[in-house]
């Protein structure tokens, strides 16, 4: 009896278990409950792009327009002071004029790529980004028309100084005709500091003006060994004299106009002396303390310093379309006041936005533009496409193309 009762109870337990585990058929119109995990996964599939700061507005406006049909890409622009708090939420960062130090980069938990909307990336701590597994990239200037735009701006500034643009406006106000007497580019010697993409485009555009071109480059071997025959022939056709860094001062004395197209880095900021000691440990110390000092006082003494300007021909002109930190502010002021420096045309400043009441703008032979050398409709539309395409590649897990990764 007990054995029989045990079997009945066992069968009842099995049937109950079967009923409890048997799938139940829902009504065909029944909506299953939301899968919160799936919702979270959907949120993660959105790639978020951060543009730092309101300046250079066409950069984020054109990029947003280019990506507007892709709902899985979100583009935001934030004030600079909000970036440190918000950066953990983003996958791509376009720095523009933002300084991304190691502290900010350490907060970028989801960041995969930091880019500049252009060439210069001196504001990014590349070592810190590398440490945190974040790629850092620039957009090559020759591929977007940026170098051509900068070259055109250099010529604009040269002509503005030679034709005494500021004095012409005074003559108009005073109703004078035929004053002042101005100068021409014809027969001038132009010294291009930094014969990269911008320098090459500049030399190409200067040829019809009937000028002599001198240029300096860190390594001319890179040009002579370039796989493109066009690049090799351009160097021979466009440059009358090639200059090495150690001979720079000798040729500075020959130039009527010096155009700075250099990158801002440890070599160019600390000045010409680094060409001789760059391989030694003392150079490292020099660079370190130089950055430490000038980061604090924000008026960095670059390669265009007192010795450099003193070596220039009296009355020669200086044009800068690279970075303000390449020029020693005090040295420029000093030589403008003495008349040794014939004029300054610059698209970049020591602090940006620059103070419109700064004393340097009171000189008639100073022309400053608001960092717009590369800001043209063509170059910015092309760069927006480059950024947009890279973001789409990143989202799809594809190899990144169209940019130069530096780490």
């Amino acid at each position: 009896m007990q054995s029989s009762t045990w079997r009945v109870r066992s069968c009842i337990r099995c049937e109950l278990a079967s009923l409890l585990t048997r799938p139940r058929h829902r009504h065909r119109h029944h909506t299953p409950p939301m899968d919160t995990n799936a919702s979270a996964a959907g949120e993660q599939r959105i790639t978020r792009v951060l543009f730092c700061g309101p300046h250079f507005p066409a950069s984020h406006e054109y990029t947003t327009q280019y990506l507007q049909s892709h709902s899985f890409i979100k583009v935001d622009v934030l004030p600079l002071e909000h970036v440190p708090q918000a950066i953990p939420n983003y996958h791509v960062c376009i720095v523009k004029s933002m300084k991304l130090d190691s502290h900010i980069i350490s907060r970028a938990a989801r960041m995969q790529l930091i880019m500049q909307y252009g060439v210069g990336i001196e504001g990014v701590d590349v070592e810190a980004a590398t440490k945190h597994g974040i790629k850092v990239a620039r957009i090559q200037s020759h591929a977007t028309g940026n170098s051509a735009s900068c070259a055109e701006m250099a010529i604009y500034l040269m002509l503005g100084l030679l034709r005494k643009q500021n004095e012409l406006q005074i003559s108009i106000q005073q109703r004078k005709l035929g004053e002042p007497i101005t100068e021409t580019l014809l027969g001038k010697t132009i010294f291009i500091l930094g014969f990269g993409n911008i320098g090459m485009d500049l030399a190409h555009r200067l040829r019809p003006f009937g000028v002599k071109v001198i240029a300096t480059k860190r390594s001319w071997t890179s040009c002579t060994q370039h796989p493109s025959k066009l690049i090799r022939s351009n160097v021979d056709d466009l440059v009358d004299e090639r200059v090495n860094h150690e001979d720079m001062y000798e040729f500075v004395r020959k130039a009527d106009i010096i155009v700075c197209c250099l990158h801002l880095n440890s070599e160019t900021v600390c000045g010409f002396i680094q060409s001789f000691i760059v391989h030694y440990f003392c150079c490292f110390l020099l660079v370190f303390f130089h950055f430490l000092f000038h980061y604090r006082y924000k008026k960095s003494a670059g390669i265009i310093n007192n010795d450099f300007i003193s070596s220039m021909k009296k009355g020669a002109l200086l044009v800068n379309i690279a970075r303000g930190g390449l020029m020693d502010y005090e040295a420029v002021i000093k030589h403008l006041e003495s008349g040794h420096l014939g004029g300054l045309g610059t698209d970049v400043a020591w602090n940006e936005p620059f103070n419109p009441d700064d004393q340097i703008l009171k000189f008639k032979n100073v022309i400053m533009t608001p960092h717009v050398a590369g800001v043209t409709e063509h170059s910015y539309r092309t760069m927006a496409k480059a950024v947009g395409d890279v973001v789409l590649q990143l989202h799809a897990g594809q190899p990144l193309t169209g940019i130069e990764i530096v780490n």
Side-chain angles (χ1 to χ4, degrees), residues 55-109:
H55 302 302
F56 306 95
S59 61
H60 55 261
E61 291 170 1
Y62 289 178
T63 304
T64 301
Q65 291 173 20
Y66 184 76
L67 292 169
Q68 61 185 350
S69 62
H70 303 283
S71 60
F72 49 84
I73 307 293
K74 301 297 182 184
V75 179
D76 296 323
V77 55
L78 294 178
L80 298 178
E81 60 271 19
H82 293 173
V83 170
Q85 289 73 35
I87 202 168
N89 302 319
Y90 291 89
H91 305 94
V92 180
C93 179
I94 313 299
V95 293
K96 297 199 282 184
S97 56
M98 180 78 182
K99 299 292 184 183
L100 285 192
D101 58 23
S102 58
H103 173 70
I104 297 176
I105 290 174
S106 68
R107 295 176 55 83

Side-chain angles (χ1 to χ4, degrees), residues 158 184-192 195 202-203 206-215 237-243 250-251 253-259 313:
M158 287 185 219
T184 176
L185 267 174
L186 181 64
K188 294 291 190 292
T189 297
I190 315 296
F191 191 0
I192 301 175
F195 199 72
L202 175 58
L206 283 173
R207 271 307 181 204
F209 287 94
V211 300
K212 178 180 179 180
V213 175
I214 304 171
D237 294 340
L238 300 179
V239 179
D240 296 293
E241 292 188 70
R242 302 181 189 180
V243 181
E250 177 187 345
F251 288 86
R253 299 181 178 92
K254 300 180 179 181
D256 299 298
I257 304 173
I258 295 176
V259 184
K313 182 190 299 185

Side-chain angles (χ1 to χ4, degrees), residues 16-79:
L16 286 174
S18 175
L19 288 172
L20 290 173
T21 57
R22 186 182 302 166
R24 289 175 289 180
H25 297 286
R26 292 190 177 98
H27 192 277
R28 68 177 62 185
H29 297 299
H30 175 76
T31 302
M34 180 180 293
D35 187 342
T36 55
N37 291 330
S39 176
E43 178 69 16
Q44 291 173 1
R45 285 196 295 270
I46 294 176
T47 297
R48 300 185 179 275
V49 183
L50 171 63
F51 279 79
C52 300
H55 302 302
F56 306 95
S59 61
H60 55 261
E61 291 170 1
Y62 289 178
T63 304
T64 301
Q65 291 173 20
Y66 184 76
L67 292 169
Q68 61 185 350
S69 62
H70 303 283
S71 60
F72 49 84
I73 307 293
K74 301 297 182 184
V75 179
D76 296 323
V77 55
L78 294 178

Side-chain angles (χ1 to χ4, degrees), residues 303-363:
I303 192 170
I304 303 174
N305 53 24
N306 186 69
D307 290 342
F308 185 99
I309 301 176
S310 297
S311 299
M312 292 172 61
K313 182 190 299 185
K314 180 176 173 57
L317 307 177
L318 176 61
V319 171
N320 187 1
I321 54 168
R323 289 292 186 267
L326 292 164
M327 301 184 297
D328 182 332
Y329 175 87
E330 300 299 337
V332 172
I333 288 285
K334 171 186 173 181
H335 290 284
L336 284 170
E337 289 176 339
S338 70
H340 182 79
L341 182 59
L344 170 68
T346 183
D347 183 58
V348 289
W350 297 267
N351 299 301
E352 293 178 342
F354 196 58
N355 179 7
D357 297 322
D358 192 277
Q359 61 174 328
I360 204 168
L361 297 178
K362 303 185 188 309
F363 291 92

